[in-house]
């Protein structure tokens, strides 16, 4: 702490030039207090603690008062603190010694303001004011008006009154435990403890009638613990203070509370917010931070020469979220504006920005996904529409193919029908004889049956070409079989055009997965185009060759080659374009439809020219096992 300057130095300061004095006055006024009575030095404030430095109540209030005084004066203030230790040394002899000691200590450093924290400190400074701080203004805090009236405070001693109302603490307990039937009040053996017990008996006289009420006092700490461990579950326990137990052992009240609460079998409540974290569920109190701020405000006004009057520091409810959880008490039952400590912050409170960002991101993703699903639905609808149009085109192409092959098909159909007629006439002539040969009749009937089957197969193939469908008929089948059936359909037309048809096939299956009729249509389109390309070739050179084989062990390849005039090199990439044709009567859709069908089933189709002349069309499809 700072000391006063020597006498000669003080006189030189007092006789300094006028502008320096004016500047000092301006500085002190800017700090919030007047300087007419304090010239040449910083103001002095003595903060008087009633007990030792470990008592949380006065320590918190004193620290907050110091902080506010330092902040308001920008540090231009001398602050002193004294600890009277009246809890452990309440004897008059000790009080007299402390008064003499402080009178001598502050003889040359008289305080301008004394802040008394609590009733005991206020009583001490009022009784010894003339010896310690004869010219100081006294402000106090830490007790209520009833206690203040008993002190017979002289005029000019002003305080921040606070009511530590134990009835309000019971009100909180009643809200949390509406079904409780027992009430226990715990207090120690020190003078301050007994004062608390007396106040509780008065303040709880009416409310305690609703319970089986028991006051626990004059016990040792071990006896308190033993009683606490056997409280009935439907009990409310009010812990006042234990500054000393019946054996004379001294405690900080919060430490004694912690010892008792650790073994308690029922929830405990208390009238000090410093009990939070020591085992109490909650209570009602004036916070010691607010006491320190309030009494510091009175001290600043006193230093500034302003008139000061008594003020009231408001109370507040407080609670410990961990103890609520421990005892299964509902947080929703707490009074409004309760200060809740140790509550686990929600995810939003901990990571609000992150959660908001995540929500925004999820919302954006949901919007994108919704848009994609909408587009996917539209794409599926478009693909469905495209497939439907493809099926219609395929059907039209099938009808056109059937029309183109109709003469050949009719010719081919006439053969079994003519054979049937001839066999029927022969059978009729034999039956008119006197001794018909039944063996011959049986052979004729077998021939009729075979020809009928042949005619039925021709009609069945024609029906397959003409059948219209609205969906793909996915099947797994051997490509060799489709090649054979296609050759059967083309047989009559090939004979008519004097085209030699041959097929080179492996000795094993070539399983693919597709629509059988669609692949047949691809083969027919390629084959009929090949036969058209050989119209100008000599009859002995008209050869149509089918070659089926495995391709890269995972695909099936079918090539259809002819001995026609081939395809111009600059047209190889265009032959599969829609409406491209070199025939005067062609539509230009056959090869385009063939490519669409092959690609629908995961394949690829292309055209080349043969080295010996003519063209070759190839397509590959995935093996069914690989697919």
């Amino acid at each position: 702490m700072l000391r006063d300057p020597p006498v000669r130095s003080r006189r030189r300061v007092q006789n300094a030039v006028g502008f320096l004095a004016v500047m000092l006055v301006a500085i002190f006024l800017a700090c919030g207090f007047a300087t007419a009575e304090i010239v040449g030095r910083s103001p002095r404030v003595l903060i008087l603690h009633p007990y030792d430095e470990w008592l949380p109540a006065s320590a918190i209030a004193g620290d907050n008062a110091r902080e506010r005084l330092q902040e308001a004066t920008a540090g231009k203030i001398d602050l002193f603190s004294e600890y009277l230790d009246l809890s452990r040394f309440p004897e008059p002899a000790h009080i007299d010694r402390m008064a003499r000691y402080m009178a001598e200590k502050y003889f040359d450093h008289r305080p301008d303001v004394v802040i008394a924290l609590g009733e005991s400190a206020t009583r001490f400074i009022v009784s010894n004011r003339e010896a310690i701080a004869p010219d100081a203004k006294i402000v106090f805090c830490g007790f209520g008006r009833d206690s203040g009236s008993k002190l017979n405070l002289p005029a000019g001693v002003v305080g921040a009154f606070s009511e530590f109302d134990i009835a309000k603490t019971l009100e909180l307990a009643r809200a949390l435990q509406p079904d409780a039937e027992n009430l226990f009040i715990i207090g120690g053996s020190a003078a301050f403890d007994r004062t608390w017990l007396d106040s509780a008996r008065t303040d709880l006289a009416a409310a305690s009638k609703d319970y089986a009420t028991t006051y626990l006092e004059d016990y040792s700490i071990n006896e308190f613990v033993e009683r606490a461990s056997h409280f009935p579950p439907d009990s409310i326990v009010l812990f006042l203070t234990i500054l000393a137990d019946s054996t004379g052992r001294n405690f900080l009240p919060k430490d004694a509370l912690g010892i008792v609460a650790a073994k308690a079998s029922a929830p405990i409540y208390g009238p000090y917010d410093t009990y939070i974290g020591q085992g109490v569920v909650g209570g009602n109190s004036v916070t010691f931070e607010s006491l320190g701020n309030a009494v510091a405000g009175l001290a600043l006004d006193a230093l500034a020469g302003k008139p000061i009057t008594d003020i009231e520091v408001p109370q507040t409810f407080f609670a410990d979220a961990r103890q609520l959880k421990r005892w299964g008490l509902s947080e929703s039952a707490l009074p409004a504006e309760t200060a809740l400590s140790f509550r686990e912050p929600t995810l939003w409170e901990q990571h609000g920005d992150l959660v908001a960002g995540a929500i925004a991101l999820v919302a954006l993703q949901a919007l994108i996904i919704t848009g994609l699903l909408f587009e996917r639905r539209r794409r599926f609808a478009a693909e469905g529409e495209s497939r439907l149009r493809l099926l219609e085109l395929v059907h039209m192409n099938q009808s056109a193919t059937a029309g183109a092959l109709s003469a050949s098909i009719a010719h081919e159909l006439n053969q079994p029908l003519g054979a049937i007629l001839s066999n029927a006439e022969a059978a009729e002539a034999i039956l008119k004889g006197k001794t018909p040969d039944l063996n011959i009749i049986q052979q004729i009937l077998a021939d009729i049956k075979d020809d009928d089957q042949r005619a039925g197969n021709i009609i069945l193939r024609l029906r397959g070409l003409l059948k219209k469908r609205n969906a793909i008929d996915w099947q797994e089948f051997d490509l060799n079989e489709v090649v054979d059936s296609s050759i059967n359909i083309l047989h009559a037309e090939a004979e008519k055009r004097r085209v030699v048809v041959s097929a080179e096939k492996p000795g094993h299956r070539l399983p693919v997965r597709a629509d059988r009729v669609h692949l047949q249509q691809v083969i027919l389109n390629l084959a009929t185009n090949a036969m058209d390309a050989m119209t100008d070739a000599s009859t002995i050179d008209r050869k149509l060759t089918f070659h089926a084989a495995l391709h890269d062990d995972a695909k099936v390849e079918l090539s259809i080659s002819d001995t026609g005039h081939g395809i111009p090199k600059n047209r190889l990439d265009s032959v599969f374009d829609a409406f491209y044709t070199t025939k005067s009567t062609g539509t230009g859709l056959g090869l385009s439809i063939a490519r669409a069908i092959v690609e629908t089933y995961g394949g690829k189709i292309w055209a080349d020219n043969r080295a010996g002349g003519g063209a070759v069309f190839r397509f590959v499809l995935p093996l069914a096992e690989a697919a």
Side-chain angles (χ1 to χ4, degrees):
M1 56 187 68
L2 299 176
R3 297 180 59 84
D4 285 338
V7 174
R8 280 181 290 181
S9 296
R10 188 183 304 126
R11 288 174 181 171
R12 284 198 298 269
V13 172
Q14 291 172 345
N15 295 325
V17 290
F19 78 92
L20 181 60
V22 172
M23 289 185 66
L24 287 171
V25 170
I27 291 172
F28 284 118
L29 285 174
C31 294
F33 49 86
T35 58
E37 299 177 3
I38 306 173
V39 180
R41 65 172 176 83
S42 298
R44 304 184 187 120
V45 175
L46 171 61
I47 301 176
L48 208 54
H49 296 258
Y51 307 117
D52 62 23
E53 67 272 24
W54 299 110
L55 186 71
S58 62
I60 293 171
D63 288 346
N64 275 270
R66 291 177 67 89
E67 289 177 8
R68 183 173 179 189
L69 291 170
Q70 290 275 11
E71 181 180 355
T73 62
K76 297 178 177 65
I77 190 171
D78 284 340
L79 295 174
F80 307 92
S81 295
E82 296 292 340
Y83 297 88
L84 302 178
D85 208 1
L86 298 179
S87 173
R88 294 183 293 180
F89 303 97
E91 300 83 8
H94 169 71
I95 296 174
D96 291 341
R97 283 194 296 269
M98 287 296 296
R100 291 195 301 272
Y101 160 74
M102 291 175 61
E104 293 178 6
K105 179 177 180 178
Y106 293 100
F107 183 78
D108 290 328
H109 301 79
R110 299 298 188 190
D112 301 303
V113 173
V114 177
I115 296 177
L117 302 176
E119 184 178 345
S120 299
T122 304
R123 185 184 296 109
F124 174 86
I125 191 61
V126 168
S127 299
N128 300 282
R129 180 178 190 176
E130 292 301 322
I132 300 171
D135 299 323
K137 296 179 180 178
I138 298 174
V139 294
F140 61 85
C141 68
F143 54 91
R145 291 187 180 274
D146 289 344
S147 298
S149 63
K150 297 176 183 177
L151 294 177
N152 296 317
L153 299 174
V157 178
V158 175
F161 286 113
S162 54
E163 301 296 335
F164 291 87
D165 190 352
I166 194 62
K168 286 189 175 293
T169 296
L170 179 58
E171 177 185 331
L172 172 70
R174 188 193 297 267
L176 293 172
Q177 295 178 252
D179 299 326
E181 296 183 0
N182 296 281
L183 174 62
F184 294 91
I185 298 97
I186 297 176
S189 301
F192 184 83
D193 301 333
R194 296 185 183 281
T195 300
W196 245 123
L197 287 164
D198 291 341
S199 297
R201 284 187 172 90
T202 301
D203 296 340
L204 300 177
S208 63
K209 294 178 180 179
D210 298 332
Y211 304 95
T213 302
T214 304
Y215 282 83
L216 303 179
E217 53 188 314
D218 287 330
Y219 283 11
S220 69
I221 192 66
N222 292 333
E223 290 171 332
F224 280 123
V225 171
E226 174 64 21
R227 289 298 304 271
S229 65
H230 292 92
F231 289 145
D234 60 346
S235 299
I236 292 173
V237 183
L238 302 181
F239 186 96
L240 303 177
T241 59
I242 298 179
L243 285 165
D245 67 1
S246 62
T247 67
R249 181 181 173 185
N250 294 302
F251 295 91
L252 291 177
K254 71 180 185 66
D255 293 340
L257 166 64
I259 294 171
V260 175
K263 300 295 183 180
S265 58
I268 298 179
Y269 304 81
Y272 298 112
D273 67 329
T274 52
Y275 286 174
I276 287 291
Q278 305 301 318
V280 295
V281 173
N284 180 274
S285 176
V286 174
T287 66
F288 296 113
E289 290 86 355
S290 62
L291 281 178
N293 288 329
V295 77
L298 291 175
L300 288 169
D301 287 345
L303 289 173
K306 297 179 182 179
I308 56 176
T309 58
D310 295 334
I311 59 175
E312 293 283 346
V313 182
Q315 298 167 286
T316 184
F317 287 102
F318 56 87
D320 186 329
R322 298 173 304 180
Q323 295 298 321
L324 290 172
K325 184 177 181 180
R326 173 189 174 188
W327 298 107
L329 304 176
S330 174
E331 184 179 323
S332 62
L334 292 171
E337 306 300 327
T338 298
L340 187 60
S341 301
F342 303 113
R343 182 174 67 86
E344 294 183 4
T346 63
L347 180 63
W348 181 263
E349 292 169 338
Q350 282 184 304
H351 310 289
D353 294 342
L354 184 60
V355 172
I359 291 174
L361 180 60
V362 171
L364 179 60
Q365 289 179 332
L367 183 62
I368 293 173
I369 290 172
T370 301
L372 291 175
L373 288 174
F374 179 73
E375 288 299 318
R376 181 171 177 266
R377 184 176 179 182
R378 289 182 58 191
R379 180 169 63 84
F380 281 176
E383 288 178 351
E385 185 70 18
S386 176
R387 281 195 297 270
L388 185 60
R389 296 292 173 264
L390 176 62
L391 292 173
E392 291 177 351
L393 284 174
V394 170
H395 177 69
M396 291 173 61
N397 187 249
Q398 289 171 337
S399 300
T401 301
L405 299 176
S406 60
S408 297
I409 292 173
H411 175 72
E412 186 180 9
L413 187 59
N414 280 332
Q415 290 180 1
L417 292 178
I420 291 172
L421 179 60
S422 297
N423 281 318
E425 289 175 347
E428 183 180 12
I430 292 171
L431 288 173
K432 288 180 180 180
K434 293 182 179 181
T435 58
D437 189 339
L438 296 180
N439 290 329
I440 296 177
I441 295 297
Q442 187 176 5
Q443 184 178 354
I444 291 174
L445 290 176
D447 290 340
I448 291 174
K449 183 178 179 181
D450 290 341
D451 289 331
D452 177 75
Q453 183 68 39
R454 180 182 171 191
N457 289 337
I458 294 171
I459 295 172
L460 185 63
R461 291 196 297 269
L462 180 60
R463 182 181 180 187
L465 282 175
L466 296 175
K467 183 179 179 181
K468 184 177 182 180
R469 60 188 71 198
N470 295 322
I472 294 174
D473 182 14
W474 289 90
Q475 309 166 44
E476 183 177 325
F477 53 88
D478 185 356
L479 184 62
N480 293 319
E481 296 175 357
V482 179
V483 173
D484 289 340
S485 66
S486 300
I487 291 175
N488 287 332
I489 294 175
L490 293 168
H491 176 71
E493 185 69 15
E495 284 187 346
K496 176 182 176 182
R497 299 192 187 193
R498 297 184 181 181
V499 175
V500 178
V501 180
S502 63
E504 300 175 5
K505 298 179 291 182
H508 53 78
R509 296 178 74 251
L510 298 175
V512 295
R513 188 168 184 271
D515 189 310
R516 180 190 295 266
V517 174
H518 287 176
L519 285 192
Q520 184 183 73
Q521 184 62 36
V522 171
I523 295 171
L524 291 176
N525 281 359
L526 297 177
T528 53
N529 280 347
M531 288 190 293
D532 289 342
M534 293 184 289
T535 302
D536 297 333
S538 64
T539 56
I540 59 173
D541 293 330
R542 297 176 186 176
K543 296 178 181 179
L544 178 64
T545 305
F546 294 83
H547 180 77
L550 280 177
H551 179 81
D552 295 337
D553 295 329
K555 296 179 181 178
V556 173
E557 178 179 311
L558 177 65
S559 64
I560 301 174
S561 59
D562 62 63
T563 56
H565 48 70
I567 305 170
K569 289 184 178 180
N570 62 339
R571 298 294 185 181
L572 283 173
D573 294 332
S574 304
V575 293
F576 294 101
D577 292 344
F579 307 112
Y580 174 82
T581 183
T582 59
K583 295 181 288 187
S584 59
T585 58
T587 63
L589 292 176
L591 291 179
S592 175
I593 291 172
R595 181 178 65 177
I597 292 174
V598 170
E599 291 179 351
T600 296
Y601 300 117
K604 181 181 178 182
I605 188 170
W606 69 97
D608 283 319
N609 285 314
R610 294 174 64 244
V616 57
F617 286 80
R618 293 183 176 91
F619 68 84
V620 293
L621 291 171
L623 270 173
E625 292 84 350

